[in-house]
Amino acid sequence: MQIIFSTNMGFCHGVKKAVAKALESGSGSYTLGSLIHNQQMVDKLREKGITKVDSLYGVASGSKVIFRSHGESPTNYAIAQNRNLEVIDVTCDFVKKAQDSGKLLAKEGFEVIIIGDDKHPEVTAIKAWVGNGTKVVRTVQEVEELPSGKKYGVIAQTTCTDDLFATLSKKIEEKAEQVKIINTICSATKQRQQAAIELAKKADTVIVVGSQGSANTTHLAEIAAQYCPKVIFIETKDELDQEMLKGTKVLGITSGASTPDWLVQEIVDKIQGMDMFFNQDGSRKLFLGDIVEGVVVSIRDNIAFVDINHKSEGMLSLQDLSLLPLDDITSLISVDDKINAVIVGIDKDGNAKLSKVKYDALVADEKLKKAQENNEKIEAIVTGVVKGGVSCQVFGINAFIPASHLDLNKVEDLSVFVGKKFLVQIIELDVESQRKKIVLSRREVLKQEKQEHEQSLYAKLKIGEKYSGIVSRLTSFGAFVDLGGVDGLLHVADMAWQKVKNPEDILKLGDKVEVLVQKVDALNKKISLNLRDLQQDPWLVNAEKYQVGQIVQGKVSKIMKFGAFVALDNLVEGLVHVSEISDEHTQNIESVLEIGQEVKVMILAIDKKTKKVSLSIAQAKKEEEKQEFSEFLGDKDEFSNSIGSKFDLTKLFGK
Ligand code: F3S
């Protein structure tokens, strides 16, 4: 008899968390109700001083109480608070989701229907959270009894089967005027049920280990019975005897989410110790599918004879050793080599036919399952082009990569990948079915690498620092610059000091540019760049030519109520305030100045920060007159000496 196990069995993560938290809470703490549906586990907790109570009133104030994964009613939370109890809440996330979904539906005005078992504590707690009027159905008949034409919101007990949920939801939909369905079945339950189906299809007897009181274990037994002629539902090894397994060739074993592994192990140990596993001489019987370990003792006619600790040696042919097209078995194996293999045949004399190819496939299956579970990257080698993608090998077995998953961008010629090795991620895996399905993606790996690269780049970018990049795209509002894996936007306004109408006037696609990083928003993946600030401000360069007190020629560029703007050159412009146009009060500026008129102005102030320049026509005029008078005096020395000593010229012309 061959024993096979479900690929998904034993404690689910919700139960694991509950048990771990209970053990952590230590002796002296309580569980409200049985922590899980398994008496053996409850007994073990009691031995450790963690006691089950049925009411919070039996617990001394200040004690620790564990609220189990099934969830508790709002009333119990309130009682715990009033009684000053320390609540260790291990309500499973999936159960919380069911409670929240029910509350949401009720808030939206739906009459809530739970598909599940009315008496189950999880359902009782959900009902308490959702409120009065919540209905529970488990059969088509119960749905038929519901009033028609209502607004129904449907959720499921987390351990409900997919089939039941689909059937009853559809029936409710037919009855309701409006319906909203939220599937709250937990994913652990779905995976476990799917694995039980696969197991039941392969076995002629299935043992389901767990409590009859556990909803998820009961469902496993029901599901297995749909695919396998014989299902044995037991809680402990004591309920099993050899007679029950009579005639079984392939025995499948699975267990519920609240069944501890050690209970399953006890059952397996008991089965393996049964007489049916031994020959009359006390040697162990061989069964098809058994995995054996042995040592090659001789090689004849391309067959290796392997000592598998049995009365006769196992035989391993070249085809069962490797899939490689070889002629000579000794090119791969020698006497004394250790080998693992699967028994694929037993002749009438009890001699075993071994297969290492099958063993390698089993190992590969396990590695693939583990890689999928841990989201690991694995190495694949492309072996050829096939319809819709490429074929490849992973862990020595064949797999498929769809064309759309070969690269980040569309691949035109798939043949360029043949012979290439790269990392991939599993996107679909079914190694249990006869036709294995292993679908891989290189794109997922590249996407992840790109994201990691982007994240590290975002972390490295510093505002105000200079980076070089390549112009990757030009738009009407700016240019995108590739900074080595991430694109930043150089807005048209940040390209140059002068007004830029079209980014293409400044940059071309593929140009290498140095840019300043001015803003980084890693969350929204936005980088803002600046090219302008890396160049000297031409206004400042021009303004360098001017000093306060200097008299320069300018041209009136604009006339306002408060004064006139005068352009000193094509960049620098200053304001002549109305009070600085003339010593006399200027009533109407346009009567003394006109646009385009050349004027002499004195620079009164230059503010480089605001780029504002104050000018004065009056002061320039006064200074000019002063100059002229000085020059005149300089020509007439004597006059200058005699008059100059008597008058203070500054009083005449001002400073
Ligand atoms: Fe939670 Fe699902 Fe287990 S609801 S407790 S993960 S069976």
Side-chain angles (χ1 to χ4, degrees):
M1 181 174 64
Q2 184 193 357
I3 302 177
I4 54 173
F5 294 91
S6 170
T7 52
N8 198 325
M9 58 191 279
F11 281 180
C12 62
H13 76 266
V15 168
K16 265 188 206 154
K17 183 175 136 192
V19 172
K21 285 273 181 195
L23 293 172
E24 206 180 278
S25 68
S27 178
S29 45
Y30 298 88
T31 67
L32 183 55
S34 299
L35 184 71
I36 58 173
H37 285 302
N38 186 275
Q39 193 50 47
Q40 292 69 28
M41 194 68 223
V42 172
D43 292 345
K44 275 214 184 301
L45 290 172
R46 199 183 43 239
E47 281 164 24
K48 291 189 182 294
I50 303 155
T51 322
K52 174 197 144 190
V53 288
D54 293 320
S55 157
L56 291 175
Y57 291 107
V59 179
S61 170
S63 305
K64 288 181 188 170
V65 184
I66 300 150
F67 280 7
R68 58 193 173 173
S69 48
H70 295 321
E72 283 304 332
S73 65
T75 313
N76 277 338
Y77 283 91
I79 296 172
Q81 197 179 15
N82 285 341
R83 303 216 56 235
N84 193 26
L85 302 174
E86 186 188 329
V87 172
I88 298 163
D89 189 353
V90 295
T91 306
C92 177
D93 293 342
F94 287 108
V95 175
K96 273 205 184 111
K97 185 190 159 197
Q99 293 173 350
D100 292 344
S101 303
K103 281 192 272 181
L104 179 80
L105 288 170
K107 205 170 150 202
E108 289 175 356
F110 290 95
E111 281 187 33
V112 178
I113 300 175
I114 307 168
I115 298 179
D117 177 359
D118 200 10
K119 296 204 169 45
H120 194 280
E122 175 195 323
V123 176
T124 311
I126 298 174
K127 272 166 68 183
W129 280 106
V130 178
N132 288 338
T134 308
K135 295 182 176 61
V136 184
V137 292
R138 199 153 60 147
T139 61
V140 173
Q141 199 196 328
E142 282 169 348
V143 175
E144 274 161 5
E145 284 163 11
L146 292 170
S148 307
K150 296 263 186 175
K151 196 177 162 188
Y152 286 131
V154 185
I155 55 171
Q157 184 179 346
T158 54
T159 49
C160 181
T161 62
D162 270 339
D163 277 355
L164 184 69
F165 186 65
T167 311
L168 298 196
S169 301
K170 195 161 176 290
K171 288 264 168 219
I172 296 169
E173 203 171 353
E174 285 162 12
K175 289 209 93 160
E177 185 200 272
Q178 194 188 341
V179 72
K180 186 167 175 184
I181 300 167
I182 304 177
N183 187 338
T184 50
I185 300 175
C186 94
S187 58
T189 299
K190 279 188 203 168
Q191 287 158 7
R192 194 169 301 258
Q193 289 173 353
Q194 191 51 43
I197 292 172
E198 297 304 333
L199 181 84
K201 281 182 188 168
K202 289 180 200 157
D204 46 32
T205 302
V206 169
I207 295 181
V208 179
V209 188
S211 161
Q212 305 270 349
S214 154
N216 82 82
T217 319
T218 307
H219 288 322
L220 284 185
E222 288 164 1
I223 287 169
Q226 291 170 25
Y227 297 88
C228 179
K230 191 168 170 191
V231 175
I232 302 166
F233 188 1
I234 51 170
E235 194 166 349
T236 66
K237 64 178 182 352
D238 302 333
E239 296 160 56
L240 185 73
D241 63 48
Q242 188 157 310
E243 205 46 37
M244 293 161 99
L245 300 178
K246 215 170 165 188
T248 301
K249 287 194 176 65
V250 181
L251 173 65
I253 298 182
T254 186
S255 63
S258 47
T259 310
D261 289 348
W262 50 266
L263 271 181
V264 177
Q265 192 55 53
E266 278 182 4
I267 290 169
V268 173
D269 289 347
K270 180 169 181 179
I271 296 169
Q272 287 184 333
M274 287 175 176
D275 295 348
M276 63 171 86
F277 282 91
F278 297 92
N279 294 309
Q280 275 175 348
D281 61 4
S283 64
R284 205 171 173 79
K285 277 187 187 168
L286 295 177
F287 293 98
L288 286 180
D290 277 358
I291 292 173
V292 289
E293 194 185 292
V295 177
V296 179
V297 287
S298 65
I299 297 174
R300 290 190 310 273
D301 304 329
N302 254 354
I303 290 178
F305 292 85
V306 185
D307 177 5
I308 52 170
N309 212 5
H310 191 251
K311 58 182 179 187
S312 58
E313 287 145 6
M315 291 176 296
L316 179 66
S317 68
L318 181 56
Q319 304 87 275
D320 285 320
L321 177 63
S322 167
L323 289 175
L324 295 172
L326 298 170
D327 295 329
D328 184 5
I329 198 167
T330 56
S331 60
L332 283 178
I333 205 167
S334 314
V335 170
D336 290 340
D337 278 357
K338 275 192 180 155
I339 197 157
N340 288 306
V342 176
I343 297 179
V344 289
I346 301 168
D347 66 18
K348 57 180 180 3
D349 301 321
N351 300 317
K353 184 174 174 339
L354 308 178
S355 171
K356 181 163 183 312
V357 169
K358 190 137 192 209
Y359 175 79
D360 289 344
L362 288 179
V363 172
D365 289 353
E366 283 315 304
K367 284 185 182 167
L368 283 166
K369 280 191 254 174
K370 209 161 154 235
Q372 188 189 37
E373 219 175 279
N374 302 330
N375 217 11
E376 269 169 38
K377 294 169 193 155
I378 50 176
E379 193 178 75
I381 177 160
V382 179
T383 49
V385 176
V386 292
K387 195 175 165 214
V390 295
S391 57
C392 63
Q393 285 226 323
V394 273
F395 301 129
I397 55 175
N398 292 331
F400 172 67
I401 306 176
S404 59
H405 279 270
L406 268 171
D407 211 335
L408 287 173
N409 302 316
K410 192 171 183 231
V411 178
E412 298 297 343
D413 180 11
L414 304 186
S415 66
V416 297
F417 286 93
V418 176
K420 294 239 164 82
K421 257 188 204 172
F422 42 67
L423 291 175
V424 288
Q425 233 161 3
I426 300 166
I427 50 173
E428 210 183 327
L429 183 70
D430 179 6
V431 287
E432 305 299 335
S433 313
Q434 203 124 41
R435 282 184 62 127
K436 288 185 184 181
K437 197 168 183 192
I438 307 161
V439 186
L440 310 170
S441 171
R442 175 175 179 249
R443 194 185 66 194
E444 286 303 310
V445 174
L446 296 177
K447 237 164 76 180
Q448 211 177 312
E449 285 174 358
K450 191 170 176 251
Q451 267 171 10
E452 284 165 9
H453 179 64
E454 278 179 8
Q455 273 167 6
S456 81
L457 258 177
Y458 275 109
K460 273 189 216 151
L461 288 177
K462 289 206 171 69
I463 292 169
E465 288 210 354
K466 200 163 68 174
Y467 295 87
S468 58
I470 307 280
V471 178
S472 58
R473 193 152 55 95
L474 284 162
T475 67
S476 57
F477 55 85
F480 285 91
V481 179
D482 179 359
L483 299 175
V486 286
D487 280 359
L489 172 65
L490 176 57
H491 194 270
V492 68
D494 296 322
M495 278 188 173
W497 287 102
Q498 73 273 23
K499 196 170 163 40
V500 179
K501 270 196 187 151
N502 185 355
E504 287 185 63
D505 296 340
I506 305 280
L507 294 167
K508 285 196 306 297
L509 215 61
D511 272 359
K512 196 172 175 195
V513 277
E514 299 244 285
V515 281
L516 272 184
V517 169
Q518 59 182 13
K519 221 190 269 170
V520 178
D521 178 356
L523 203 66
N524 296 306
K525 295 192 175 176
K526 280 185 182 161
I527 302 166
S528 144
L529 305 173
N530 186 309
L531 182 63
R532 183 197 55 222
D533 291 350
L534 282 175
Q535 298 148 13
Q536 267 204 314
D537 184 349
W539 189 94
L540 291 177
V541 174
N542 268 19
E544 283 302 315
K545 296 191 298 207
Y546 306 109
Q547 287 94 43
V548 172
Q550 193 182 353
I551 295 172
V552 290
Q553 188 81 15
K555 204 182 256 182
V556 177
S557 56
K558 225 183 295 166
I559 294 175
M560 315 291 288
K561 267 191 190 150
F562 52 85
F565 283 93
V566 174
L568 305 187
D569 55 43
N570 59 350
L571 288 172
V572 182
E573 192 180 62
L575 171 68
V576 182
H577 190 262
V578 64
S579 61
E580 292 291 342
I581 291 176
S582 163
D583 268 350
E584 273 134 52
H585 178 65
T586 309
Q587 190 77 35
N588 180 5
I589 301 174
E590 277 168 331
S591 66
V592 288
L593 293 172
E594 62 182 45
I595 304 246
Q597 183 182 338
E598 296 269 351
V599 284
K600 280 203 174 152
V601 287
M602 177 185 272
I603 298 171
L604 299 182
I606 301 172
D607 185 341
K608 290 184 178 168
K609 249 192 193 163
T610 58
K611 296 187 182 173
K612 282 186 178 158
V613 179
S614 305
L615 305 170
S616 172
I617 295 174
Q619 298 285 340
K621 202 169 165 200
K622 217 181 267 179
E623 184 62 26
E624 245 183 5
E625 284 172 5
K626 192 171 142 188
Q627 283 291 328
E628 279 169 18
F629 190 68
S630 291
E631 279 164 25
F632 168 74
L633 290 184
D635 289 348
K636 311 260 187 292
D637 272 355
E638 279 173 34
F639 181 79
S640 157
N641 288 338
S642 58
I643 301 291
S645 59
K646 287 185 183 141
F647 295 99
D648 179 359
L649 292 178
T650 58
K651 280 189 182 150
L652 270 177
F653 298 104
K655 294 212 172 180

